[in-house]
Amino acid sequence: MRSEVKKRPKQLQLNPNWIQLQQKLKSSAKPARFSKSPQSETPNSILGKRKERPDSDSDDAKPNPLIPTSDDCSVTDVLAMDCEMVGVGQGNKSALGRVALVNKWGNVIYDEFVRPIERVVDFRTRISGIRPRDLRKAKDFQAVQKKVAELIKGRILVGHALHNDLKALLLMHPKKYLRDSSEYQPFLKEGRRVALRHLAAEILGVEIQNGEHCPVDDARAAMLLYQKNRKEWEKSNQDQIRLKEKQKKRKRRKKPKSDSNLVQPES
């Protein structure tokens, strides 16, 4: 009986202590879990990695500056143009194969394949991106020429080596309205012209003409180069116009008087 009596109080004394110990462990463990979860567990959790993805991908996947930020497709006061050529004759003669024009926002207002007057012997697909199927239903040269002339009339025309594009179109445009990125002084290196793809990479941070050329992308790149430097470009253009006007006035002053103005002696 005594042994039984002794055992019972031991069990009664151990049970409450064990229960209290368990309660203390639970109460001390819960706040530790809650306090650690937002600090230590979140960075290593799946959600933490998802939050970091935009930051890590932002450096690699930068927005393309050539993508228009406006859906305005109106014919603006400034247009950019680029053409792609095909080979005619013996293949060494260039003819217009495609022409694209974009407005100041970079939106396409005209983009047409052109069927040259002469037979095409070299599509120059590796550079032009033009294939035989593209010219099967292409518009006639005269129709494209007329439309382009209407669009650019009285407007500033932006492009790269515009003299080549205008020559292919058999068009002329007033020099005061031309903004050629291949001739803009700040873009030259040691007085030499720089290719459009190099200007796009260095100034705009975008790659173009990697393989087949796209006249839309090339026109957009030229337009963006102009827009980024428009203030200085226009000032430089105005200064050149004023200088030429002064030079013309000086030449007029230096011209000798004609014989008709001389007083004839009386006979």
Side-chain angles (χ1 to χ4, degrees):
M1 292 294 292
R2 288 182 181 177
S3 61
E4 292 179 359
V5 173
K6 287 181 181 179
K7 287 180 181 179
R8 285 179 185 174
K10 284 182 181 179
Q11 292 176 355
L12 290 172
Q13 289 176 358
L14 289 173
N15 286 339
N17 291 338
W18 178 247
I19 293 170
Q20 287 178 5
L21 181 60
Q22 286 181 333
Q23 288 177 350
K24 285 182 180 180
L25 290 172
K26 287 180 181 180
S27 61
S28 60
K30 284 181 180 179
R33 286 177 184 175
F34 283 109
S35 61
K36 289 181 181 179
S37 59
Q39 295 177 357
S40 60
E41 291 180 5
T42 303
N44 297 326
S45 65
I46 296 174
L47 290 175
K49 289 181 181 179
R50 286 179 183 172
K51 288 179 182 178
E52 291 173 0
R53 280 176 189 171
D55 295 331
S56 59
D57 294 345
S58 61
D59 295 335
D60 299 332
K62 293 180 180 179
N64 188 346
L66 299 184
I67 297 175
T69 56
S70 170
D71 57 358
D72 186 348
C73 294
S74 61
V75 182
T76 52
D77 59 337
V78 182
L79 300 177
M81 181 176 71
D82 188 76
C83 299
E84 295 300 332
M85 313 298 174
V86 292
V88 297
Q90 294 182 351
N92 56 352
K93 183 181 177 182
S94 296
L96 184 66
R98 184 182 176 185
V99 57
L101 285 97
V102 301
N103 62 9
K104 68 179 182 180
W105 308 110
N107 291 310
V108 178
I109 61 171
Y110 192 73
D111 183 15
E112 289 290 345
F113 288 101
V114 186
R115 186 166 60 251
I117 299 172
E118 299 182 52
R119 187 175 68 88
V120 179
V121 296
D122 185 2
F123 288 89
R124 302 176 183 175
T125 306
R126 186 173 59 86
I127 296 175
S128 69
I130 300 173
R131 292 165 174 77
R133 64 173 180 268
D134 297 325
L135 302 188
R136 286 170 191 164
K137 296 183 179 180
K139 291 190 176 182
D140 293 333
F141 173 81
Q142 291 85 352
V144 174
Q145 181 194 47
K146 183 180 178 181
K147 183 62 177 178
V148 173
E150 291 174 356
L151 289 170
I152 67 175
K153 185 178 180 180
R155 292 184 169 87
I156 293 175
L157 184 62
V158 180
H160 193 83
L162 280 169
H163 58 281
N164 291 331
D165 296 338
L166 291 171
K167 182 180 178 181
L169 283 158
L170 300 179
L171 292 175
M172 295 183 68
H173 200 62
K175 194 171 183 180
K176 64 179 181 178
Y177 291 144
L178 294 178
R179 304 293 183 269
D180 196 327
S181 56
S182 71
E183 298 179 358
Y184 184 47
Q185 188 66 33
F187 292 165
L188 304 181
K189 286 190 176 181
E190 297 180 356
R192 296 181 180 179
R193 296 176 180 178
V194 180
L196 180 61
R197 61 190 179 93
H198 293 316
L199 292 175
E202 293 173 11
I203 300 174
L204 305 178
V206 64
E207 292 185 2
I208 60 171
Q209 300 179 350
N210 287 334
E212 297 178 7
H213 293 194
C214 174
V216 174
D217 286 346
D218 292 354
R220 284 173 174 170
M223 176 61 79
L224 195 55
L225 287 169
Y226 169 72
Q227 293 290 3
K228 282 182 172 291
N229 300 272
R230 182 170 186 170
K231 188 176 180 180
E232 297 81 2
W233 203 325
E234 289 301 322
K235 184 179 181 301
S236 174
N237 191 64
Q238 290 297 323
D239 292 342
Q240 289 179 3
I241 292 173
R242 289 170 188 169
L243 181 61
K244 288 180 180 180
E245 288 177 354
K246 287 180 180 180
Q247 289 174 348
K248 286 180 181 180
K249 288 179 181 179
R250 288 174 184 174
K251 287 180 181 180
R252 289 172 187 172
R253 290 174 184 175
K254 290 180 180 180
K255 280 184 179 180
K257 294 180 180 180
S258 60
D259 296 339
S260 61
N261 295 330
L262 294 175
V263 179
Q264 297 292 336
E266 296 180 0
S267 55

